[in-house]
Amino acid sequence: TPTDDSVEVAVGFAKECGSFLQEFSPRGLDKFFERFRSILHNGGIDKRVQFLVEGLFAILRAKFEGYPAVHPELDLVEEEDQLTFEFSLKNKLDQEAGLDIFKEDPDFLEQEKAYEKLKKIILGDEYWYGAEGDKDSGEELDDVDEKEGEENLGIKDETETNLVNLRRTIYSIIMSSLDFEEAGHKLLQIKLEPGQEEELCIMLLECCSQERTYLQ
């Protein structure tokens, strides 16, 4: 018994492939739509899906106008250059299981040269030279980036992360020391950058403001 989802998927498939089937397999397309007619006749699907099927019949009457077999933007290969492979579901296919096993090619370099020649023939010299030009321009950009990187080695921290870490270190030393002598000895070992001496004084006042004896 077909479900609403399966019928909806079949409708979408028929829209996309109907134009191709109409040209190459009209009998198969007729059987396809006979099944849709029987589904509509039985009435075991949702109203919304019924409207989709009825719309599909309208598309069939319009000979799938607006639903081409191949969209123009995807029709990139000329017909004489196309290589098509036709398979039948009834025939036994050669799986070519040997391709799943890696085998060393003794003529690898010669094969690569032949491949490069074939690629030039297929893609053309303009593409080939354009790719080399892009490569050269990319190398030039890399050189410029390296030079700019060398010039901008000095990085300035604008997030004040180092300042926050310094304040945290000073606070931890002061609050964990047993007396002022131990605190002073540890604080003298901190390497301060020029201009950071003021932060040491600020943190001393902050720590003192949190002590009850200081507030009294």
Side-chain angles (χ1 to χ4, degrees), residues 90-172:
K90 298 180 181 179
N91 298 335
K92 187 176 181 180
L93 300 178
D94 183 11
Q95 299 180 0
E96 299 184 8
L99 298 177
D100 298 334
I101 303 173
F102 174 76
K103 296 179 181 179
E104 184 179 0
D105 186 4
D107 302 325
F108 174 76
L109 296 178
E110 288 75 8
Q111 297 284 2
E112 282 294 302
K113 291 179 181 178
Y115 170 72
E116 293 296 334
K117 291 180 180 179
L118 180 62
K119 187 163 66 172
K120 282 186 178 181
I121 295 173
I122 295 175
L123 300 178
D125 293 336
E126 294 181 359
Y127 174 86
W128 193 257
Y129 294 142
E132 291 182 351
D134 293 341
K135 182 179 179 182
D136 295 338
S137 61
E139 292 177 353
E140 292 176 359
L141 290 175
D142 291 340
D143 294 338
V144 172
D145 292 339
E146 289 179 0
K147 291 179 181 179
E148 291 180 353
E150 292 176 357
E151 294 176 357
N152 299 327
L153 287 178
I155 300 175
K156 185 177 180 181
D157 183 15
E158 298 290 347
T159 61
E160 297 186 349
T161 303
N162 294 335
L163 183 60
V164 173
N165 292 334
L166 175 63
R167 291 176 178 174
R168 185 180 293 112
T169 302
I170 295 173
Y171 178 82
S172 300

Side-chain angles (χ1 to χ4, degrees), residues 70-83 122:
V70 180
H71 293 275
E73 59 270 19
L74 299 178
D75 191 9
L76 304 176
V77 182
E78 298 294 337
E79 187 173 356
E80 58 270 14
D81 295 333
Q82 295 179 5
L83 299 177
I122 295 175

